[in-house]
Amino acid sequence: MRPVAPLEDDDNPCRPRHYKPTLAAPSDGDTRVNRSLELSRNRLMVTAGAFLLAFGIISLRLADVTLLKTPDPEVAHLGQPVVAKPAHFSRGDIVDRNGVVLATTLESSSLFANPRTIAEPAKLAKQLARILPGAKESDLYAKLASDKSFVWLQRRLTPAQEHQVNLLGVPGLDFQREERRIYPQGSLAAHVVGYSDLDGKGLAGIERSFDAALGQSTEPLKLSVDIRLQAILKEEIQKQIDAFTAVGGTGIIMDIKTGEVLSLISLPDFDPNDLNTVVPETIFNRATLGVYEMGSVFKIFNTALALENKTATLSKMYDISKPITIGRFTIHDDEPIHHAIPVAQIFAVSSNIGSVHMVQELSPEIQKDFLGRLGLLRPAQIEIPEIGSPQVPNPWREINSWTIAFGHGLSVSPVQLAVAASAVADGGILKPATLIKRPAGFQPPGQRVLSPRTAELMRELFRYDVTDGTGKKAEVPGYLVGAKTGTAEKIGAHGGYMHHGNLSSLISFFPMSDPQYMVYVIIDEPHGDRNNKAQASYGFTTGAWTAGPAVQRIIARMAPLLGLKPIEETPEIHRALTVDIPGMGPKVAAN
Amino acid sequence: MMRSSTFVSLVLVCGLGFGLFKVKYEVQSLEEELAKINRQTVTDQDAIHVLKAEWSYLTQPVRIGDMAGRHLALSPVTSGQMGSFDQLPLKADRPADTEGGDVKIEAVLKAMQVASKPTQAHPTNVAALKPGGDR
C-alpha cells in the first residue's frame, strides 16, 4: 500500500493552531518548484528595489527642491502674494515745495457711439444734449443717425457726465479711457509750470524742459516755488497794475542763500487748463524771457564796481551839479542837486550824473568784465526754456559804459538781474538760481565776484536807501529791509525813449543784517494819475512809488508766513548797517 | 502588523488628501481675497490721486483767503504778532494781582509787551503792516 503522503499544512482541518510542519528533506519534485519560487522572489525583489530607488530619488529630490535649494526667481514669484500696482499715468506730477499739486494727470473718459446699433437717434440726441452742455442736439443727431460704425460724441467728460450717460443705459454708447493734464492751481504758477497739449506733451515752462523726465517718473517733481508766496506776489503786483493801469508786471522772490526761486510771477498770465487763454501776450514770461533796460537798479553794480576797484569810497564826493553832454545826448537827473554829494548819497538819491562820474574813472573793459562775471551778459541759467538773451552793446564804447552805469543801453532779464544783485547783497558770492527744490542744508556752488568788504559796504548802502533814500516805501519795521529802486524809460515803437513809458522796479533784500530773501517787483508802463486814490503816488510813476508799496506789503505778508520773527535793531546791528560818512545826516551824528 | 500599517497608511492618505484639499481651497479663497484687496487698493490709490488734485484746487490760496474774509473774524498774521518763548514772563515777573487766582491773559500780554519794549529801537507799527496800509 502506498504510504500516505504527509498532509499539506492547510489540508488538515484539525491541525493545531500553532502547528509547524517539520521540514522534510527536499525531494526531487520539490527542487523544481523551489527554483521557480526563488526566481519569482528574486524578480519581486528587483522590482521592489527599483521602486524603492525611484521613490528614494523622488523624496530626495523633493527634499532638495522644497528645503535645500533656493528657488528660481521666475518660479518663486508664483507662490508670493501679488502686490498691488499703483495707478500708472503716463506723466508724473509737479508739486510745489510743500507738496501742493501744481500739475497732475487724471483719467477722463471720452464718449463714442456705434450709430449702426442705435435705434432711436433723435431721442438719444435730445437726452445727450441735456447731459453734455457743450454739444448741440442737431450735431449729435447728425452723428448718431449716420451709417458709420464709430463716431466721437464728446471728448473728456466729467465723472458726473459719465455717470449720467451710463444711467441712460443705451446700447451702442461706450467710453474710451483717456488721460488729461490738470493744473489745480490754475494760473497761479502758470509761467513756472508751463502747460502741455492735449496729448500730454509739454509746451512751456517746467512741463517742457522736464518733458522726458516727467514721462518716465512716477515720483512727483518738487519745485522750489511756494504757492502761498505765488498768491501774495501775484495779488500785490496785480493791485499795482490795476491802480496804475499798467500793461503788465513781474516779480521774483528768491531765497538767496540757496538760490531757490520761491515765487515767480509774470502778469498778465494764462490758465494752463484752458488753452484758449494761451495767447502771445499772456504766455510771454516777463521774468525770464523779457529783456529790459533796468534803469537805476544797475547802480548797484556800478557802485560795487567802483568800490571794488577802489576808485571810490562811500564818502568820496562827486559834483553832480552839471548835466553831462555827449554828442546829442544829455545825461541829467530827475531831481537835480546843485552841489557835490558823496557816493552813498549818489546811491540813495539815485543820481545818474554821479554814477557816470564814478564809471568815468574806470575803463569800459573793466566794467564789461565785471558785469560778465555777474552773469549779466549771457542768458540766465534756470530750468525753464523761456530764457531771453541779454542785448549787449557791441562794440562796448565809452558812451555805452556811461549809460550802462545808470542802467540804460544794456537789456537783461529780471531773473538775471535778481541773481546778480543777490550776489552783491549776499557777501559777494554768485549762486545760480533754481526752480527745483534743494535738499535741506544744501550749499549751492558759489563763485566769488566781490570782496567781502565791498559786499559789506553794499549792504550798508541797500539799507541806507531804505532809511534815507528812494527806497523808503519798502520799509517794513522789524525786518531791516534794504533796497534799490529803478525807473527806466522804455524804448518806444519808433526807437528813442518814451517819456511816459517807464519800467519801474524795486529790488529789496531782508533782513540786511544777514540777507536771506530777495523780493523784486517790476511794473511795466504805469500811468500816473494825481486824483487816483488807489495810486497814492501824487502822479509819480517811479519804482519807489509803484513797486515800492507792493514790495512793502509783500514783505509784511510773507515774513510771518515763513515764520520770520521781527529782528530787534540792536545798537550793534544799527551801527553795522549804517553808512559811516563824516558829517553826513542826523543818523550818523546820532551814533 | 501588516494590517495595522495598512490601516494607518490608509488613514494617513485620507487625512493628507483631505488636508491638501482643504489647504488648496483655503489658498484659493485667500488669493481671491488678495486680488480683491489689490483691486480695492488700486481703486483707492486712484481716488487719492483725484482727491489730491481736488484738494489742491479747493485750497487755492486766493479762494481760502476769500472764504476766510467772508466767514471768519480773522486777519492775516502780522509781524507784531510774532513772538517767542523768551518773551513770556517768568513766574517771578508775574503781576501781583494774579496771585491765588487764575493768571489773566491780559496781564500776561501786558508783561510780554513790557518785556519786549525796551530793546526795540523801532517799535513795530502794526497799522503800517496791514496790507493797503498807507504810510
Side-chain angles (χ1 to χ4, degrees):
Chain A
M1 149 176 188
R2 272 186 68 181
V4 178
L7 283 168
E8 289 293 319
D9 289 0
D10 289 3
D11 288 353
N12 181 9
C14 306
R15 75 177 160 86
R17 200 170 175 82
H18 301 293
Y19 166 81
K20 285 198 165 83
T22 51
L23 288 168
S27 65
D28 275 356
D30 284 348
T31 16
R32 216 181 56 242
V33 173
N34 282 353
R35 204 177 296 132
S36 69
L37 267 177
E38 191 78 8
L39 189 69
S40 46
R41 182 180 285 124
N42 285 347
R43 281 179 183 164
L44 207 63
M45 288 307 282
V46 169
T47 317
F51 271 101
L52 202 68
L53 193 69
F55 276 109
I57 289 171
I58 287 172
S59 48
L60 277 178
R61 175 73 183 140
L62 199 64
D64 178 41
V65 166
T66 54
L67 302 174
L68 302 174
K69 210 171 138 197
T70 44
D72 280 340
E74 208 174 301
V75 180
H77 87 269
L78 291 173
Q80 297 294 318
V82 189
V83 182
K85 280 202 197 87
H88 183 73
F89 291 100
S90 60
R91 210 167 162 81
D93 288 359
I94 301 174
V95 300
D96 89 338
R97 65 184 298 109
N98 301 313
V100 177
V101 177
L102 302 180
T104 186
T105 304
L106 294 184
E107 199 175 292
S108 73
S109 299
S110 291
L111 180 65
F112 66 89
N114 179 358
R116 286 182 191 164
T117 62
I118 292 197
E120 296 171 286
K123 187 182 160 203
L124 183 59
K126 198 170 193 173
Q127 286 171 324
L128 285 177
R130 215 173 298 142
I131 297 169
L132 311 170
K136 266 201 263 167
E137 193 185 326
S138 54
D139 292 348
L140 286 172
Y141 177 76
K143 284 179 185 171
L144 291 170
S146 68
D147 64 344
K148 293 179 194 156
S149 61
F150 180 94
V151 284
W152 281 118
L153 294 179
Q154 177 107 338
R155 303 292 286 269
R156 317 253 146 105
L157 274 71
T158 65
Q161 288 170 340
E162 186 185 344
H163 180 67
Q164 283 175 301
V165 172
N166 275 329
L167 281 185
L168 293 179
V170 177
L173 293 182
D174 208 346
F175 294 100
Q176 168 77 41
R177 178 193 188 272
E178 283 191 296
E179 285 184 355
R180 184 180 182 177
R181 199 72 169 155
I182 301 277
Y183 304 91
Q185 295 286 341
S187 62
L188 207 44
H191 284 102
V192 178
V193 173
Y195 67 98
S196 58
D197 65 8
L198 285 175
D199 301 322
K201 188 176 177 333
L203 293 184
I206 293 288
E207 285 274 44
R208 182 166 170 195
S209 49
F210 284 78
D211 199 29
L214 286 167
Q216 287 161 2
S217 166
T218 50
E219 282 294 298
L221 178 65
K222 211 162 208 181
L223 301 187
S224 64
V225 297
D226 184 330
I227 200 70
R228 302 167 302 171
L229 296 185
Q230 286 285 112
I232 292 174
L233 191 61
K234 181 177 173 180
E235 189 187 329
E236 297 300 346
I237 296 175
Q238 189 65 57
K239 221 181 256 176
Q240 295 307 90
I241 291 175
D242 293 344
F244 286 91
T245 53
V247 297
T250 179
I252 301 173
I253 299 177
M254 213 163 95
D255 180 336
I256 61 176
K257 295 285 180 206
T258 61
E260 289 174 290
V261 174
L262 301 181
S263 179
L264 188 147
I265 288 285
S266 171
L267 294 171
D269 58 9
F270 60 94
D271 182 356
N273 292 310
D274 179 4
L275 295 185
N276 293 326
T277 65
V278 180
V279 291
E281 298 89 73
T282 58
I283 187 75
F284 185 74
N285 189 336
R286 288 166 193 268
T288 58
L289 185 58
V291 292
Y292 310 95
E293 293 181 302
M294 292 297 186
S296 305
V297 285
F298 255 71
K299 288 169 191 162
I300 296 169
F301 312 121
N302 194 54
T303 313
L305 177 67
L307 293 174
E308 181 77 357
N309 286 286
K310 301 197 166 34
T311 54
T313 61
L314 292 191
S315 55
K316 186 175 175 183
M317 306 291 274
Y318 287 93
D319 182 9
I320 60 163
S321 55
K322 291 183 206 69
I324 298 167
T325 307
I326 178 165
R328 58 194 176 90
F329 299 104
T330 308
I331 296 165
H332 57 85
D333 284 335
D334 283 344
E335 292 168 56
I337 295 175
H338 301 289
H339 53 85
I341 58 170
V343 168
Q345 226 174 334
I346 289 174
F347 188 84
V349 302
S350 204
S351 163
N352 294 342
I353 299 171
S355 301
V356 175
H357 284 319
M358 283 161 70
V359 82
Q360 279 173 338
E361 296 171 351
L362 293 154
S363 70
E365 289 75 40
I366 291 180
Q367 184 194 36
K368 188 178 177 181
D369 176 62
F370 178 62
L371 297 182
R373 270 187 290 138
L374 285 168
L376 290 168
L377 307 184
R378 58 166 191 268
Q381 305 275 315
I382 197 157
E383 296 90 346
I384 48 177
E386 296 83 17
I387 300 290
S389 292
Q391 287 174 17
V392 183
N394 191 17
W396 189 295
R397 295 203 185 90
E398 196 164 39
I399 171 72
N400 303 108
S401 151
W402 294 5
T403 58
I404 288 168
F406 58 93
H408 285 75
L410 169 63
S411 299
V412 300
S413 64
V415 71
Q416 271 179 288
L417 189 122
V419 169
S422 299
V424 176
D426 185 30
I429 294 173
L430 187 79
K431 292 167 189 163
T434 181
L435 282 167
I436 306 300
K437 189 180 181 182
R438 302 285 201 197
F442 177 82
Q443 285 293 322
Q447 200 183 340
R448 182 160 287 287
V449 289
L450 277 183
S451 68
R453 176 62 191 153
T454 308
E456 196 182 308
L457 293 174
M458 289 308 296
R459 280 213 297 279
E460 291 178 11
L461 285 180
F462 281 126
R463 180 67 186 147
Y464 183 58
D465 194 48
V466 171
T467 56
D468 295 82
T470 54
K472 276 180 191 160
K473 289 268 160 200
E475 171 68 334
V476 182
Y479 291 109
L480 301 172
V481 180
K484 181 73 194 90
T485 56
T487 310
E489 285 179 356
K490 284 178 73 177
I491 296 173
H494 309 291
Y497 287 102
M498 294 158 70
H499 283 296
H500 296 287
N502 285 346
L503 188 85
S504 304
S505 60
L506 189 141
I507 187 163
S508 71
F509 301 93
F510 75 96
M512 273 334 281
S513 47
D514 181 23
Q516 172 84 37
Y517 298 102
M518 184 225 64
V519 179
Y520 185 22
V521 168
I522 300 176
I523 307 294
D524 195 355
E525 283 185 43
H527 296 96
D529 179 1
R530 255 165 223 288
N531 303 318
N532 186 340
K533 286 239 170 59
Q535 293 190 358
S537 77
Y538 312 103
F540 290 115
T541 57
T542 58
W545 290 96
T546 55
V551 169
Q552 186 262 335
R553 293 195 297 259
I554 290 162
I555 296 177
R557 288 176 68 182
M558 73 178 268
L561 197 71
L562 297 175
L564 301 171
K565 279 180 289 178
I567 296 170
E568 282 171 26
E569 195 171 352
T570 57
E572 294 81 54
I573 292 180
H574 185 70
R575 210 170 305 126
L577 287 178
T578 304
V579 173
D580 196 13
I581 302 165
M584 200 196 78
K587 244 185 140 48
V588 183
N591 278 281
Chain B
M1 177 60 195
M2 270 311 267
R3 283 187 186 182
S4 64
S5 69
T6 311
F7 182 71
V8 167
S9 324
L10 203 69
V11 169
L12 261 176
V13 166
C14 286
L16 283 176
F18 181 72
L20 192 68
F21 173 84
K22 207 167 146 43
V23 167
K24 184 175 146 72
Y25 273 86
E26 227 163 80
V27 166
Q28 209 164 27
S29 82
L30 280 173
E31 263 174 1
E32 268 166 32
E33 202 178 318
L34 179 67
K36 206 167 120 191
I37 290 169
N38 278 341
R39 275 197 303 276
Q40 188 60 44
T41 309
V42 171
T43 312
D44 288 348
Q45 278 173 340
D46 268 346
I48 289 169
H49 189 78
V50 174
L51 288 171
K52 269 190 187 161
E54 193 174 351
W55 173 256
S56 174
Y57 177 73
L58 292 175
T59 55
Q60 285 178 4
V62 176
R63 182 172 178 272
I64 297 286
D66 279 354
M67 294 213 299
R70 258 186 291 138
H71 301 296
L72 300 175
L74 298 174
S75 58
V77 177
T78 61
S79 65
Q81 289 162 289
M82 307 284 293
S84 67
F85 283 111
D86 310 339
Q87 283 171 276
L88 289 173
L90 292 173
K91 200 172 180 184
D93 307 332
R94 194 184 284 174
D97 62 339
T98 61
E99 255 175 80
D102 288 339
V103 179
K104 286 194 179 110
I105 189 76
E106 292 84 7
V108 174
L109 287 173
K110 208 171 189 178
M112 267 177 74
Q113 275 180 357
V114 171
S116 68
K117 216 165 206 169
T119 47
Q120 192 114 3
H122 294 291
T124 307
N125 180 1
V126 177
L129 295 174
K130 276 189 189 152
D134 198 0
R135 298 188 63 232

